[in-house]
Amino acid sequence: MADKLKVATTSLAGCFGCHMSFLDINERMIELAQHIEFDRSPITDIEHCGPCDIGLIEGGVCNSDNVHVLREFRKNCKVLVAVGACAINGGLPAMRNHFKVEDCLNESYIDGLGVENAQIPSDPELPLLLDKVHPIHEIVKVDYYMPGCPPSGDVFWTFLSDIIAGEEPSLPYELLHFD
């Protein structure tokens, strides 16, 4: 058998639902493990993305750390995949794009219900917020899009099976839904 494909995954500004959905391939994960190995992912807890065949990115880009991670993935992954609505179009996190960042911070940390000891966090280790949430294709080149909120386990399975087989990924219409 040929070498296994190396796959890296990350979640930027999103809910982590796409990763949870990926796990919904259930027992097929055992078969998948015969063909791929994980680099950076929540499964391995590897901190940086090394050279990989496939990078699966969930979530939009909302801060300087997201930009850094996304560029690292693009540099190290032969194929970069935008996974889910947040990566593709900003998703729910992009709802803040209609407001100034300052207004969002004030609502969350100063004026919000139940806020005690009101102060906006200013630790230098916190990543700088961007003025808006971006879909990942506005920051780096994306090779494929895996739509859904989240994409189903069957979408992950079909997409990765096509790649493993050396075929162009194809997602039948009946697999695509947003619920």
Side-chain angles (χ1 to χ4, degrees):
M1 180 166 85
D3 290 338
K4 292 182 177 185
L5 292 175
K6 219 168 202 186
V7 176
T9 72
T10 194
S11 182
L12 304 176
C15 70
F16 224 83
C18 295
H19 274 84
M20 297 307 294
S21 186
F22 178 49
L23 296 176
D24 285 343
I25 67 172
N26 298 322
E27 69 276 354
R28 294 176 290 185
M29 186 66 81
I30 296 167
E31 183 178 340
L32 187 62
Q34 295 174 26
H35 303 283
I36 71 168
E37 67 177 270
F38 287 102
D39 187 73
R40 176 184 169 154
S41 85
I43 295 171
T44 62
D45 201 30
I46 294 173
E47 194 170 324
H48 294 283
C49 179
C52 288
D53 297 296
I54 304 166
L56 302 172
I57 310 288
E58 127 176 50
V61 183
C62 78
N63 64 44
S64 58
D65 186 57
N66 293 161
V67 172
H68 173 76
V69 169
L70 184 55
R71 287 183 176 156
E72 179 181 78
F73 265 71
R74 179 69 275 179
K75 177 182 173 189
N76 288 300
C77 298
K78 294 176 188 172
V79 173
L80 197 67
V81 184
V83 178
C86 295
I88 293 170
N89 63 28
L92 287 175
M95 290 177 66
R96 82 159 164 93
N97 291 352
H98 301 285
F99 306 96
K100 294 177 186 172
V101 172
E102 180 182 5
D103 293 342
C104 292
L105 291 171
N106 283 332
E107 179 63 27
S108 298
Y109 295 103
I110 305 296
D111 303 325
L113 292 175
V115 173
E116 294 181 20
N117 303 319
Q119 61 182 337
I120 295 174
S122 63
D123 190 297
E125 291 193 25
L126 291 174
L128 178 66
L129 289 177
L130 303 178
D131 287 339
K132 68 176 247 182
V133 176
H134 298 270
I136 70 171
H137 74 268
E138 289 183 1
I139 309 299
V140 299
K141 179 186 179 289
V142 171
D143 300 302
Y144 293 103
Y145 297 85
M146 194 183 300
C149 186
S152 69
D154 289 334
V155 168
F156 278 97
W157 176 254
T158 300
F159 185 90
L160 291 171
S161 294
D162 286 350
I163 295 274
I164 289 165
E167 299 172 4
E168 185 72 19
S170 173
L171 297 174
Y173 179 78
E174 56 273 4
L175 284 183
L176 305 178
H177 55 87
F178 301 85
D179 56 34

